[in-house]
Amino acid sequence: MLSTHEEQESVLRSSFSLSKMGVLGFSSSSSFVGFFVVLSLVINATVLCNGGKTSRFVRKLEATEDMPLDSDVFQVPPGYNAPQQVHITQGDQVGKAVIVSWVTASEPGSNTVLYWTEGSETKYKAKGKVYTYKYFNYTSGYIHHCTIMNLKYNTKYYYVVGIDHTMREFWFVTPPQVGPDVPYTFGLIGDLGQSFDSNKTLNHYELNPQKGMTVLFVGDLSYADNYPNHDNVRWDTWGRFTERSAAYQPWIWTAGNHEIDFNQSIGETKPFKPYSHRYHVPYKASGSTAPFWYSIKRASAYIIVLSSYSAYGKYTPQYKWLEAELPKVNRTETPWLIVLMHCPWYNSYNYHYMEGETMRVMYEPWFVRYNVDVVFAGHVHAYERSERISNVAYNIVNGLCTPVNDQSAPVYITIGDGGNQEGLATNMTEPQPAYSAYREASFGHAIFHIENRSHAYFSWHRNEDGYSVEADSMSFFNRYWHKIDESTH
Ligand SMILES: *[C@@H]1O[C@H](CO)[C@@H](O)[C@H](O)[C@H]1NC(C)=O
Ligand SMILES: *[C@@H]1O[C@H](CO)[C@@H](O)[C@H](O)[C@H]1NC(C)=O
Ligand SMILES: *[C@@H]1O[C@H](CO)[C@@H](O)[C@H](O)[C@H]1NC(C)=O
Ligand SMILES: *[C@@H]1O[C@H](CO)[C@@H](O)[C@H](O)[C@H]1NC(C)=O
Ligand SMILES: *[C@@H]1O[C@H](CO)[C@@H](O)[C@H](O)[C@H]1NC(C)=O
Ligand SMILES: *[C@@H]1O[C@H](CO)[C@@H](O)[C@H](O)[C@H]1NC(C)=O
Ligand SMILES: [Fe+2]
């Protein structure tokens, strides 16, 4: 069945983008849509079927190239040994600490961060540590990580790095004190890479009038491993590219498959080597023993980060940690329970199909028992939002193995559409499964805005639209405080 109103909207948008960009889309399998395509030479359509909505809006088919090394976004900042690739993340469990990271190229230089609150004369100093690593024939610059502690909540801080040679100044705003009714706005980006589309995604995130305050990044950062010998120069360019956002607001990191950088043929057998040297996270604060799974509280949210590419079977460190972690979440303090992982459990694209299945089998009963509000994943280079469903009844012999509506279950959102050089995932399983509420192969980002303990609002923004346009959205009712079906069908 076709929804005429949506059809027309989609047609207008796609004709505009096609003529503007001179690119071709793809044709749908529906015969009515096929007829429509021939008639109007318009390729996109919106089809409603068994499940939710499959939007045929496709930005374009061919993958975009990475931005060349001499691109403006990759420029090394001027001045001797100037700090570059500056980025920050939360530095403790509650948001009173920040990890400041940067790279110097010529010599280690100072490890010190100078910081002060807006309008204050008093300046503070914190001292960090410097690290280097080698990867095949690449030697990293001097990678600095410095944790600034005992910050005041809800306060603007300025900070300076490079105090011995070339100083560079940035700022950030600390989150409000952890509490149940604190509004907060998270951005969501996944699988970003460093193509021309990646630059558009970041640009759209920055210019979205909803103003994300912290990025929840669901894995696959630089895609340096797509280059010969995983050319780690592309880790450096990615760090310089993302500095314009990541130096001013925390990016909460999740490890993806492109962070593994395991390659026996070039003698690199320590998984996550470049990623774990460059991106530090406060994993010890949540009792974790490895930086790939950890948790933070931020405003009214409790965020659990999991690793799809670390062992998660029974008795493994990640399993033990998560088993002990979930009962610790106090929904009176942090009503919103959000989980980040790279590989989605519910994915109806023909890419990475069922890759998340083994982890789903291990952990999904816990997510239902502890009323997780939402799970964000990446990996599949497209967008998809599920209904609240679970599939936890199977016991080998009872044959109960289909997803069912479950108001205790999270909504699963795939947001792997950051725009990397591998291009979009356009091939979907047909028909759309009933659990899938909306899916579309376009690049973009999303915003998760928490209003109070009961209400939050999610919106997905495709790069093709204006900055404020919501291509898909959903009002969230908190699973602990307001456990009411919020789906719109
Ligand atoms: C690393 O090796 C590759 C392939 O042999 C070569 O092209 C590249 O220039 C080398 N890089 C460095 C930094 O030596
Ligand atoms: C990336 O986006 C920024 C912001 O719009 C722009 O100034 C810059 O020229 C872009 N760079 C490339 C290589 O597209
Ligand atoms: C390992 O590195 C070699 C040399 O660059 C490359 O040909 C190969 O594709 C890489 N393998 C993986 C799994 O990344
Ligand atoms: C949960 O958090 C609330 C509010 O901070 C606090 O009053 C309560 O004691 C906490 N409950 C537990 C079991 O720690
Ligand atoms: C889509 O994926 C399916 C399953 O992998 C495959 O059989 C089919 O050929 C693919 N279609 C296209 C157009 O690539
Ligand atoms: C929470 O926010 C929603 C939406 O703005 C509002 O309707 C509701 O009354 C608020 N609830 C509380 C407890 O403040
Ligand atoms: Fe991935």
Side-chain angles (χ1 to χ4, degrees), residues 132-183:
T132 59
Y133 74 92
K134 287 186 195 300
Y135 191 94
F136 187 56
N137 66 353
Y138 167 94
T139 304
S140 74
Y142 302 95
I143 305 169
H144 304 254
H145 298 285
C146 175
T147 306
I148 318 179
M149 288 178 291
N150 300 315
L151 301 173
K152 283 185 268 186
Y153 284 121
N154 221 358
T155 303
K156 184 167 185 179
Y157 281 88
Y158 292 90
Y159 69 98
V160 164
V161 285
I163 56 172
D164 48 345
H165 298 115
T166 304
M167 297 204 275
R168 295 184 66 208
E169 184 180 311
F170 304 88
W171 54 263
F172 59 80
V173 180
T174 51
Q177 180 165 5
V178 172
D181 290 303
V182 189

Side-chain angles (χ1 to χ4, degrees), residues 191 219-220 223 256-258 309 342 352 378-381:
D191 304 72
D220 282 0
Y223 289 76
N257 54 308
H258 286 278
Y309 307 101
H342 186 61
H352 306 301
H379 202 36
V380 178
H381 300 159

Side-chain angles (χ1 to χ4, degrees), residues 3-13:
S3 146
T4 315
H5 177 67
E6 279 155 355
E7 178 75 63
Q8 282 168 355
E9 271 185 11
S10 171
V11 165
L12 283 173
R13 264 200 311 264

Side-chain angles (χ1 to χ4, degrees), residues 327-365:
K328 289 182 192 162
V329 182
N330 179 344
R331 304 294 276 273
T332 302
E333 188 189 31
T334 50
W336 294 93
L337 179 51
I338 299 171
V339 178
L340 311 181
M341 61 179 68
H342 186 61
C343 185
W345 293 355
Y346 286 98
N347 155 39
S348 74
Y349 289 81
N350 275 322
Y351 299 81
H352 306 301
Y353 189 62
M354 288 182 73
E355 271 183 30
E357 191 65 3
T358 49
M359 193 197 233
R360 184 189 70 74
V361 169
M362 293 307 299
Y363 295 157
E364 190 182 20

Side-chain angles (χ1 to χ4, degrees), residues 293-308:
W293 57 90
Y294 63 101
S295 71
I296 58 164
K297 301 175 196 177
R298 199 163 178 88
S300 43
Y302 200 105
I303 296 158
I304 294 180
V305 177
L306 295 181
S307 174
S308 304

